[in-house]
Amino acid sequence: QVQLRESGPGLVKPSQTLSLTCTVSGGSIITNYYYWTWIRQTPGKGLEWLGYISYSGSTYYSPSLKGRSDISRDTSKNQFTLQLYSVTPDDTAVYYCAAKRGAWSARRGEYDYWGQGTQVTVSS
């Protein structure tokens, strides 16, 4: 059974960099055709797909982040990481990592595995 677990700071100050790590167990992040995705949820906006790193290492970022993000991986630790630069209070959300096999999608029901989510608050 694949399990995902997010970790990172619960509070970040405006203009700083948010760094979140997703640790994967029960499966490998280089397993063919899996897309390892970061998603966030706010009460007002619902789910927002932020981007992914694929089994091959390719990445995609949502245009909504306007170049403020990087997603990387450490295959030796079976982890992938989201860095979000120059955060503002609008980046306050519950952040999830999730995975699906096959073509990448922004449909919640198509994801096979989810982390439990971690609350991030941006505030001074």
Side-chain angles (χ1 to χ4, degrees), residues 4 6 18 20 22 35-42 45-53 60 62 64-65 69 71 80-82 84 91-100 104-120:
L4 286 71
E6 305 91 349
L18 168 65
L20 295 173
C22 184
Y35 289 78
W36 305 91
T37 303
W38 285 100
I39 302 157
R40 67 185 180 185
Q41 184 169 30
T42 59
K45 295 182 180 180
L47 288 175
E48 180 181 9
W49 268 255
L50 303 179
Y52 67 74
I53 186 164
Y60 165 80
S62 169
S64 68
L65 296 179
S69 60
I71 300 175
F80 62 105
T81 297
L82 169 70
L84 188 59
D91 294 310
T92 295
V94 178
Y95 285 75
Y96 296 92
C97 56
K100 75 175 297 290
W104 185 77
S105 157
R107 298 179 180 179
R108 179 174 192 155
E110 295 186 8
Y111 278 74
D112 302 303
Y113 308 107
W114 288 78
Q116 81 282 2
T118 186
Q119 173 70 48
V120 175

Side-chain angles (χ1 to χ4, degrees), residues 70-85:
D70 280 312
I71 300 175
S72 59
R73 66 181 182 177
D74 186 334
T75 56
S76 67
K77 296 181 179 179
N78 217 34
Q79 295 174 333
F80 62 105
T81 297
L82 169 70
Q83 288 191 299
L84 188 59
Y85 308 109

